[in-house]
């Protein structure tokens, strides 16, 4: 008789475990579908952000007093970039719920997080650096390539969520790896902006300068991108 309460408690615990497992198995297809939808929406938003930034850089230079000046980012540009960032953040959250651990355990999740980090840096720079299109023209294609590499190039078996290896079963996965990946995104955007500035700042008589001037002759609005790059490092 004394053992009956313990047996009843064990039976209730087993029933609770079975119910949780059944709910998880029923929710798994919905989570997978949500992850796929968010990935497609994020890809589309990044593609639109890239097109807007490059289109404005090439053809959207503003005119003032008869002179062209650097094109500026509009609320639409920020909204599309913000939507891409939100879609990627949602994808990471769904992946976290689906896998049961922080989504930084394989190459697929790392590329998604890197793409989200790049869009976050893009939003910060665009809102703080004179509303210039330069951060978007540089960062959006990089985030798009990272997301495309994760969703289109990696085989399905590398995209599936799996159990954590023992070395990653630690709080350092959230603390250290998150900061490291966000640092990678920041460094990538800074490096691309620095490289773009070096290309735009080459003398006209150099080989790079001749190619640049030839392109500018075909698309005159590109001359404004150099002006935008000159002020891209001046944070208000």
């Amino acid at each position: 008789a004394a053992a009956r309460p313990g047996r009843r408690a064990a039976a209730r615990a087993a029933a609770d475990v079975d119910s949780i497992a059944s709910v998880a198995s029923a929710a798994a297809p919905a989570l997978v579908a949500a992850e796929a939808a968010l990935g497609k929406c994020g890809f589309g938003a990044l593609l639109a952000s890239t097109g807007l930034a490059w289109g404005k850089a090439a053809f959207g230079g503003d005119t003032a007093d008869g002179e062209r000046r650097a094109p500026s980012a509009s609320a639409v540009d920020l909204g599309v970039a913000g939507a891409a960032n939100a879609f990627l953040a949602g994808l990471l959250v769904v992946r976290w719920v689906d896998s049961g651990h922080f989504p930084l355990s394989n190459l697929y999740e790392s590329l998604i997080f890197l793409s989200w980090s790049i869009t976050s840096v893009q939003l910060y720079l665009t809102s703080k650096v004179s509303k210039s299109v330069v951060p978007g023209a540089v960062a959006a294609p990089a985030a798009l390539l990272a997301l495309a590499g994760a969703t289109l190039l990696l085989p399905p078996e590398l995209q599936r969520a799996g159990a954590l290896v023992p070395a990653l079963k630690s709080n350092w996965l959230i603390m250290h790896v998150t900061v490291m990946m966000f640092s990678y995104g920041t460094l990538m955007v800074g490096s691309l902006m620095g490289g773009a500035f070096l290309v735009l700042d080459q003398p006209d008589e150099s080989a790079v300068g001749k190619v640049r001037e030839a392109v500018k002759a075909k698309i005159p609005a590109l001359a404004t991108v150099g002006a935008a790059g000159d002020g891209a490092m001046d944070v208000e």
Side-chain angles (χ1 to χ4, degrees), residues 39-124:
K40 292 177 181 178
C41 291
F43 187 89
L46 284 175
L47 188 61
S49 180
T50 301
L52 286 172
W54 278 95
K56 185 166 286 188
F59 305 107
D62 301 322
T63 58
D65 301 327
E67 296 183 358
R68 301 194 71 85
R69 64 171 188 239
S72 58
S74 65
V76 175
D77 301 322
L78 286 173
V80 173
N85 184 270
F87 286 136
L88 293 174
L91 193 157
L92 290 171
V93 171
V94 171
R95 183 80 171 191
W96 192 347
V97 174
D98 185 26
S99 63
H101 56 74
F102 194 72
L104 271 177
S105 61
N106 55 28
L107 181 59
Y108 172 80
E109 295 169 355
S110 298
L111 287 174
I112 298 296
F113 194 91
L114 178 63
S115 182
W116 174 80
S117 301
I118 293 173
T119 58
S120 298
V121 175
Q122 173 190 347
L123 288 171
Y124 175 79

Side-chain angles (χ1 to χ4, degrees), residues 120-162:
S120 298
V121 175
Q122 173 190 347
L123 288 171
Y124 175 79
L125 292 178
T126 304
S127 61
K128 293 293 184 180
V129 184
S130 304
K131 302 293 184 180
S132 171
V133 298
V134 172
V138 171
L144 181 63
L145 288 176
L147 182 60
T151 57
L152 301 179
L153 298 182
L154 290 180
E157 57 269 18
L158 293 182
Q159 297 184 20
R160 297 191 187 99

